[in-house]
Amino acid sequence: MFYKDERLALFIDGSNLYATAKALGFDIDYKLLRQEFMRRGKLLRAFYYTALVESEEYSPIRPLVDWLHYNGFAMVTKPAKEYTDSQGRRKVKGNMDIELAVDAMELAPRMDHMVLFSGDGDFKPLVESLQRQGVRVSVVSTIRSQPPMIADDLRRQADNFIDLDDLKEVIGRPPREPQGQATREVPASGSGE
């Protein structure tokens, strides 16, 4: 699936990867994740996309964002949008699909292999476009959760599908018990459809 001389880039949809790992019952060790893909090829860049809730005094995702930023990940963040739904419940939404797609298209001429950590079917046209430009695309998600976290059409479009569950022994750690507040990612508008 991977060639040692390939220039590869990781594109991590933070909320989608968080939900996928949670569905499989483990946490991601991002240091091990980065090391694993450095071993598989020439890692150009590891992008991590997440929306941040600006109004909260303490954002549970902030320590992760800071750690990733200082440890070799290119962080792409934006403020999450807060709204009240029709039942009067406070909701938070932060979709980073466009930012991820733009970065992937800009890097396409300089990468041989994209590794997309997301099961969101909205990325199918991006995968098709990158493939037309000669970029191989691997998608990391899971079919082993109920329901599966990857859209079937995205899985079929990818050159390679890597089930996150198969990486568990290499990049995983047992989930930590939350201290005070549960760590959560800001949900994107779609998890896998």
Side-chain angles (χ1 to χ4, degrees):
M1 277 197 257
F2 289 84
Y3 305 106
K4 282 282 190 197
D5 61 341
E6 270 186 326
R7 297 168 301 168
L8 54 101
L10 311 182
F11 291 83
I12 301 169
D13 177 348
S15 63
N16 197 287
L17 180 59
Y18 174 80
T20 303
K22 189 174 179 185
L24 293 171
F26 72 98
D27 286 339
I28 304 288
D29 184 323
Y30 287 94
K31 183 177 184 180
L32 294 176
L33 183 146
R34 192 166 175 275
Q35 288 172 348
E36 175 63 20
F37 286 92
M38 285 174 75
R39 189 181 62 72
R40 292 184 182 206
K42 295 177 182 172
L43 185 62
L44 297 175
R45 195 75 75 238
F47 292 97
Y48 186 95
Y49 299 84
T50 190
L52 299 171
V53 178
E54 299 287 324
S55 65
E56 291 183 5
E57 212 170 284
Y58 169 76
S59 172
I61 189 76
R62 179 55 73 184
L64 174 63
V65 168
D66 290 343
W67 188 92
L68 290 170
H69 187 73
Y70 284 110
N71 287 278
F73 286 80
M75 297 305 301
V76 183
T77 63
K78 72 177 180 185
K81 302 227 182 326
E82 294 184 62
Y83 66 97
T84 305
D85 70 7
S86 58
Q87 282 82 39
R89 294 179 297 219
R90 182 178 158 266
K91 297 276 190 171
V92 179
K93 182 172 128 179
N95 191 319
M96 298 293 293
D97 293 4
I98 295 297
E99 291 81 357
L100 190 153
V102 168
D103 289 345
M105 294 301 287
E106 285 179 350
L107 198 56
R110 291 178 288 289
M111 72 175 157
D112 302 310
H113 195 154
M114 172 200 203
V115 183
L116 174 63
F117 289 81
S118 182
D120 190 336
D122 290 345
F123 288 122
K124 183 179 182 265
L126 170 65
V127 171
E128 290 171 324
S129 177
L130 290 169
Q131 289 169 330
R132 285 192 301 271
Q133 296 177 63
V135 177
R136 291 183 344 111
V137 181
S138 292
V139 174
V140 180
S141 189
T142 191
I143 56 172
R144 297 186 187 146
S145 61
Q146 279 305 327
M149 296 297 288
I150 186 164
D152 191 56
D153 57 345
L154 177 64
R155 190 174 129 226
R156 290 171 189 264
Q157 186 63 48
D159 295 297
N160 303 305
F161 170 69
I162 302 168
D163 201 297
L164 186 63
D165 200 39
D166 293 335
L167 293 175
K168 186 176 185 174
E169 298 301 315
V170 181
I171 66 166
R173 64 171 189 245
R176 284 184 289 180
E177 291 300 314
Q179 297 174 354
Q181 248 184 330
T183 300
R184 71 175 199 285
E185 274 281 353
V186 175
S189 59
S191 61
E193 297 308 317

